Structures are given as structure tokens and as C-alpha cells.
Amino acid sequence: MDEVFKALADPSRRALLDSLNARNGQTLRELCAGLDMARQSVSKHLAVLEEAGLVTTVRRGREKLHYLNAAPVHEIAHRWISRYDRARVQALADLKLALEETPMDAPTFVYTTYIRTTPQKLWQALTEPAFTRRYWATEFTTDWSAGSPMTWDNHGVLISDPEQVVLEAEPYSRLSYTWHAITPELAKRFGWDEELLARLSGEARSKVTFTIEEAAQVVKLTVVHDGFEPGSGLAEMVTHGWPNVVASLKTLLETGEPLPADA
């Protein structure tokens, strides 16, 4: 975690994070235009932030978009927060919240973490019920072929819909599928009122994509959840939900046990 604290110590790098917190998914040109820094300086600072895992990038055609990545701070909060006094805990919590908040005018959730495992085991953890039910309380019924339907068992609620499909499935490297439908049964399970149910069920269907890359003795996992409408309520939910799911997945693969349910 030394790289994280070193990256955050520089005011210029904090300014870059502030800029991305205000508007996520910016190109290098856009970041330079919004800050009083030379292009070369911005590139160097971004490289430090990427090395620390605080910024992650996604290719869209010829452009490289930069996103805040809350994973390093989230892992500090989950694994070592009890070692800090109250003031430091609050500082980490504030930073974690700032990094996880995605502006709702362009809601795209991007999250990158590194896991001590293999691509094969990570693929199993993303697709096989024996794993997914342990860290996510969710199971999928599908053959994991592109275009195949998916039935979700989400916290004990079965969700079937013809638009729930596998979009891409390249074993050990890339997996993408559409998000589940929002149903009255799911709303009842989580205690949502009629207004929230109507709002969420009226939104366009989003999708999630997992990219798996082997890196030395670890595996880099990038989660991209997009396809939301401006002001999406579901986008706000997954922004706070995915870090917990991924942290529990990482802990399961590295220790054999997921995070406690109340972590």
C-alpha cells in the first residue's frame, strides 16, 4: 500500500483524482484542458496513479478513457482499518466514498483489482455456483455461450427474462452479460418501496464486463458496468455494491473464505 499513500501525497495527483471524481471517464486531452498542467506532467502523474491502482483505463476505439478506481482504498478499509485510530479511519472512509461516487451524468462503473490466483480459478469463481453463492449469494444457470439465456438466483430470488443473456464468453480472459431484470419479488427481498421498484424497472438494461489479465504471479481483474441512462438509480447502487462483491471474491480466492456478510 506504500504506492497508494505516495501517489496521494502529491497535490497535482490529488487534483487529477478530483477532476475524475467530478467527471469520470476522461481522455488525456480532457484532463489537460481542465487543469493547469502540461500534457507531459499530466501523463507522468497518471502513470503514478495507475501504478498505485487509483486510476484505471479503458480503451474505446482510438481513445483511452481514465476512471477512478476505489479498489486500493477499499482493500485498506476492509483488511487493515482496525489498525488505525478513529481520525484515520474517517479519513479513509471519506476518501473511499469520494473514489466510489460516479457522477450520474455519465454513469459507468470501472473497478480494477489484483488477485493472487490464476485465470482459470478466477474464471471458475465468476461462473460456477459453488463459488458465486459464497461471495455474492448469487448463482447463474446458463451454458456460458455467447447469446445464451441466463437465469439468476439472486439472494434466493429466481429471475428469468429473455433479455438476460451472455454477451461474450472467452474462457480465462473475458466475460460479459446483461444485467438481471428488476422484479417485484426482488424488491420485496430487499425492502424496496413501490416508487423505487418503478424507477429501477423502468431503466434501460445495463451490462457488466469482466476482463482477466495475467500479470506475473497475480491476475488483474477489471470490472466495467455500463449502459446506464443519465441519472440511473441502478448505477448508483452497483457503484457501492461492486466493491464489496469484488473484495469478497478476492478474499475467497486468496484465503479460502469470503468476507463476513457484515464486513
Side-chain angles (χ1 to χ4, degrees):
M1 288 298 145
D2 289 348
E3 296 86 355
V4 176
F5 293 109
K6 178 182 177 181
L8 292 171
D10 186 278
S12 295
R13 290 194 281 272
R14 294 199 299 271
L16 281 168
L17 293 178
D18 287 340
S19 178
L20 289 174
N21 191 46
R23 186 167 65 86
N24 223 355
Q26 295 186 59
T27 63
L28 176 59
R29 176 179 55 80
E30 290 170 328
L31 285 167
C32 291
L35 297 170
D36 187 21
M37 280 190 276
R39 183 184 181 93
Q40 186 177 11
S41 297
V42 173
S43 295
K44 288 181 178 179
H45 285 309
L46 285 173
V48 174
L49 291 169
E50 286 189 59
E51 184 68 23
L54 290 165
V55 168
T56 191
T57 58
V58 176
R59 283 281 182 184
R60 292 289 170 84
R62 295 181 179 180
E63 294 185 322
K64 184 165 75 169
L65 305 182
H66 298 80
Y67 291 88
L68 284 173
N69 182 42
V73 177
H74 196 271
E75 289 167 13
I76 291 172
H78 268 299
R79 297 189 179 197
W80 296 289
I81 200 166
S82 61
R83 299 184 186 180
Y84 294 86
D85 60 31
R86 184 177 299 275
R88 291 176 179 174
V89 167
Q90 187 59 53
L92 284 172
D94 291 345
L95 177 58
K96 174 176 172 287
L97 179 61
L99 291 176
E100 288 178 2
E101 286 180 341
T102 302
M104 290 299 104
D105 59 343
T108 296
F109 176 80
V110 180
Y111 193 90
T112 296
T113 191
Y114 293 84
I115 306 174
R116 289 192 299 273
T117 188
T118 65
Q120 292 78 10
K121 289 181 180 178
L122 180 51
W123 182 268
Q124 283 184 294
L126 291 172
T127 58
E128 295 185 7
F131 287 92
T132 58
R133 74 167 70 99
R134 294 190 66 193
Y135 66 86
W136 195 359
T138 298
E139 299 178 25
F140 308 105
T141 301
T142 182
D143 64 6
W144 295 113
S145 298
S148 292
M150 299 178 67
T151 296
W152 289 54
D153 181 336
N154 189 347
H155 292 77
V157 178
L158 287 178
I159 310 171
S160 294
D161 188 286
E163 293 185 7
Q164 292 175 186
V165 296
V166 179
L167 298 173
E168 299 177 68
E170 301 174 15
Y172 321 133
S173 63
R174 188 174 175 87
L175 178 66
S176 180
Y177 48 82
T178 58
W179 202 242
H180 62 73
I182 304 297
T183 67
E185 293 78 12
L186 194 66
K188 182 179 180 180
R189 168 65 178 79
F190 290 110
W192 301 338
D193 59 26
E194 291 294 327
E195 182 180 354
L196 181 57
L197 171 60
R199 179 186 175 191
L200 295 178
S201 59
E203 292 187 11
R205 190 176 299 275
S206 60
K207 64 180 174 67
V208 63
T209 301
F210 304 90
T211 302
I212 301 169
E213 302 172 78
E214 195 164 11
Q217 298 181 357
V218 298
V219 176
K220 178 183 178 182
L221 172 66
T222 300
V223 182
V224 178
H225 198 144
D226 58 6
F228 301 108
E229 300 172 336
S232 166
L234 185 59
E236 185 174 358
M237 285 183 170
V238 302
T239 294
H240 294 285
W242 271 124
N244 292 318
V245 171
V246 176
S248 192
L249 162 63
K250 174 182 171 70
T251 302
L252 173 62
L253 287 172
E254 292 184 344
T255 70
E257 293 293 332
L259 290 174
D262 59 350

